[in-house]
Amino acid sequence: MRLSRYFLPVLKENPSEAQIVSHRYMLRAGMIKQQAAGIYSWLPLGYRVLKRIEQIVHEEQARAGHIPLLMPTLQPADLWRESGRYDDYGQEMLRIKDRHDRDMLFGPTNEEMITDIFRAHVGSYKDLPMTLYHIQWKFRDEMRPRFGVMRGREFLMKDGYNFDIDRDAALHAYNRHMVSYLRTYERMGLTAIPMRAASGPIGGDNTHEFLVLASTGESEVFYDAAVTDLKLGARDVDFDNREEVAGICKEFTTLYARTDETHDAALFDQIPENRRRVGRGIEVGQIFYFGTKYSEAMGATVVTPDGSKVPVEMGSHGIGVSRLLGAIIEASHDDKGIIWPEGVTPFPVGIVNLKQGDTGTDAACDGLYKALKAKGLEALYDDREERAGAKFATMDLIGLPWRITVGPRGLANGVVELTSRRTGESVEMSAEAAVDRVV
Ligand code: ATP
Ligand code: MG
Ligand code: MG
Ligand code: MG
């Protein structure tokens, strides 16, 4: 992408409405534009990152054997009357009437609708286990939308629902979600710690939240410092193997890690003092096992192998897709701007032309751009007629992992400069070597 032909409305000034660094940088880097309180347009750079995050979520859901579908944003109120949540949900639910005076709502979550789909089409143990998920916009009329995409009113969520024949199978689905989420967050460069949580309006008695440690997080967290060293890494997990998956969950949930809602001071005090930590965290996901809460209320039953009919066992599992952009930036930035982890960066590399209009420099930049493209990498090429300082500032702000700087002086010696955004280290090398290094 040539920057001269792109739409990257970078702001020079710090927007006064942004209280935390991720919100500030998302506005300054031209990633989002607020349209109403907690409602945003995703400008091209922000949209690219959002799509990369979605892609990782899809890939990891596929690895766990979960099936994507898409449900609508608007839902009929009647479904929620069946579960009893139409009245319970309160003011966070945006209620709408259509032209025929029918009660509708903008979905804050989808337990009722997925249960309705299930009961219409599935009736036998033979079709189980089954996990369906979608990535769809949600609306919650939050009392205090703030911090940009962190607490929006309209936000993008991955929500998945498992259907199983019995409790053990449903707990396996729960564990499968935990492991797939661990891998999902690690691929985004995040350490997200599963913490025992209390169930909210969705209900249920077995639930973990995934928290990214950050001083600006809205949750108070208590944990054993050793949990931050746990890594799933590139383990080849067999998601059908119940023992293996349960073993990984045990590994990640045995050390103390809780939010304030479930914090137990007596247990916490048993951790060696030098490992006790109190801090703040951003909730980037949550998994729930709730059994037959919705299936019983809505009549979603399955026939078991012995011919009896039982309500299907369920759980629901969510990832805050749009909130993740904020969480990643909170976890990875410096005073010049964002530092994107490779897994989610909007472009893998930027090219800075120090002398736009100079035939040799322009040709070298074009060559680099094509060489990167041939290797499957789309560079963001700053081909504007701008001072070098302004170009560097833009690259630092938008945080691409690599910058290749091309100028006449280097080219005379056969070199370009490759700079790592994370370390700030610059090395001169041939253009070919720079391409190889970035790939
Ligand atoms: P919170 O405690 O932050 O209000 P929640 O517990 O109400 O979140 P869930 O119902 O667990 O949210 O939804 C799944 C995920 O969706 C959350 O873990 C979070 O990452 C994300 N999420 C929830 N509310 C918002 C919001 N208003 N804006 C952006 N993301 C959100
Ligand atoms: Mg909430
Ligand atoms: Mg919560
Ligand atoms: Mg939650």
Side-chain angles (χ1 to χ4, degrees):
M1 179 61 65
R2 283 172 173 268
L3 193 43
S4 64
R5 297 179 196 165
Y6 200 44
F7 177 50
L8 185 71
V10 164
L11 305 179
K12 288 218 173 60
E13 302 298 322
N14 266 331
S16 59
E17 73 267 32
Q19 299 163 33
I20 63 171
V21 68
S22 57
H23 188 195
R24 201 150 57 231
Y25 283 156
M26 286 185 78
L27 290 171
R28 282 196 46 209
M31 296 176 68
I32 50 171
K33 180 185 184 306
Q34 183 173 309
Q35 307 291 171
I39 300 178
Y40 292 87
S41 288
W42 293 79
L43 305 184
L45 194 74
Y47 184 60
R48 279 184 84 99
V49 180
L50 194 65
K51 287 286 151 192
R52 300 227 36 199
I53 291 176
E54 277 188 56
Q55 184 59 29
I56 292 175
V57 171
H58 280 306
E59 286 170 14
E60 295 308 322
Q61 288 302 301
R63 201 193 295 276
H66 304 161
I67 308 166
L69 48 54
L70 187 61
M71 291 175 271
T73 52
L74 294 186
Q75 306 187 17
D78 281 343
L79 274 182
W80 290 68
R81 292 196 173 101
E82 286 189 54
S83 71
R85 283 207 296 180
Y86 190 63
D87 294 327
D88 291 352
Y89 215 93
Q91 289 198 293
E92 256 187 36
M93 181 184 277
L94 181 66
R95 295 155 207 261
I96 303 162
K97 273 195 196 293
D98 71 9
R99 68 197 296 164
H100 304 293
D101 215 31
R102 279 187 290 249
D103 292 325
M104 310 284 290
L105 56 101
F106 197 122
T109 177
N110 284 61
E111 281 79 7
E112 284 78 359
M113 189 168 278
I114 201 81
T115 305
D116 180 56
I117 292 171
F118 183 90
R119 71 181 171 186
H121 298 289
V122 186
S124 164
Y125 72 94
K126 290 181 193 154
D127 297 320
L128 305 181
M130 182 156 80
T131 293
L132 303 170
Y133 77 95
H134 69 164
I135 299 179
Q136 178 63 292
W137 294 95
K138 304 289 184 293
F139 196 97
R140 294 183 187 176
D141 206 349
E142 301 275 357
M143 173 113 85
R144 284 223 294 157
R146 58 178 188 158
F147 299 162
V149 299
M150 288 275 208
R151 184 165 298 285
R153 292 198 296 164
E154 188 183 62
F155 60 98
L156 192 59
M157 194 205 285
K158 171 266 167 183
D159 43 322
Y161 307 86
N162 67 286
F163 299 94
D164 289 278
I165 191 68
D166 57 27
R167 186 169 191 273
D168 281 354
L171 290 177
H172 173 55
Y174 182 88
N175 292 342
R176 222 170 43 227
H177 279 88
M178 182 177 292
V179 175
S180 69
Y181 279 23
L182 288 169
R183 190 189 287 272
T184 301
Y185 298 124
E186 278 186 20
R187 283 188 61 189
M188 297 174 190
L190 289 172
T191 303
I193 305 166
M195 298 199 181
R196 187 199 278 241
S199 55
I202 288 177
D205 48 34
N206 199 347
T207 173
H208 282 84
E209 289 174 354
F210 290 78
L211 285 114
V212 172
L213 299 174
S215 57
T216 48
E218 291 187 282
S219 313
E220 188 172 24
V221 296
F222 302 82
Y223 59 98
D224 181 331
V227 291
T228 58
D229 297 330
L230 298 174
K231 287 274 172 304
L232 187 67
R235 281 181 238 187
D236 189 16
V237 180
D238 175 359
F239 280 94
D240 290 329
N241 184 328
R242 289 191 188 186
E243 288 71 37
E244 182 184 347
V245 172
I248 297 172
C249 292
K250 193 159 179 221
E251 184 184 330
F252 279 82
T253 54
T254 302
L255 290 166
Y256 191 93
R258 296 192 183 190
T259 62
D260 51 358
E261 291 171 337
T262 55
H263 178 54
D264 179 332
L267 277 179
F268 187 61
D269 285 345
Q270 291 171 20
I271 306 169
E273 197 173 352
N274 63 339
R275 289 192 348 223
R276 262 178 244 158
R277 298 282 186 280
V278 180
R280 304 201 69 81
I282 301 165
E283 184 193 327
V284 292
Q286 181 160 15
I287 52 178
F288 275 107
Y289 161 70
F290 51 69
T292 57
K293 179 178 156 94
Y294 297 95
S295 55
E296 264 182 68
M298 298 181 62
T301 56
V302 275
V303 174
T304 64
D306 67 20
S308 59
K309 230 183 196 185
V310 295
V312 69
E313 284 274 335
M314 292 173 63
S316 68
H317 316 280
I319 294 181
V321 172
S322 51
R323 178 179 287 183
L324 272 166
L325 276 95
I328 292 168
I329 296 171
E330 290 296 321
S332 185
H333 67 269
D334 62 14
D335 56 7
K336 295 188 190 132
I338 303 164
I339 304 174
W340 289 117
E342 310 248 347
V344 297
T345 186
F347 295 93
V349 50
I351 301 172
V352 168
N353 185 337
L354 290 179
K355 199 165 186 196
Q356 200 65 47
D358 174 84
T359 321
T361 319
D362 289 359
C365 288
D366 286 341
L368 250 182
Y369 186 86
K370 286 194 186 114
L372 287 162
K373 189 138 208 173
K375 299 215 166 178
L377 297 185
E378 188 181 0
L380 181 65
Y381 170 22
D382 192 343
D383 61 340
R384 297 169 306 162
E385 310 264 348
E386 276 278 1
R387 298 177 295 112
K391 292 190 176 188
F392 291 153
T394 299
M395 284 293 173
D396 284 342
L397 175 63
I398 68 173
L400 311 182
W402 297 104
R403 183 184 86 206
I404 303 177
T405 309
V406 183
R409 216 176 309 154
L411 288 177
N413 298 319
V415 295
V416 298
E417 186 186 62
L418 180 68
T419 306
S420 157
R421 176 68 182 89
R422 193 168 289 281
T423 66
E425 201 186 336
S426 290
V427 188
E428 292 194 330
M429 58 182 78
S430 68
E432 297 75 45
V435 171
D436 286 341
R437 182 71 188 76
V438 167
V439 172

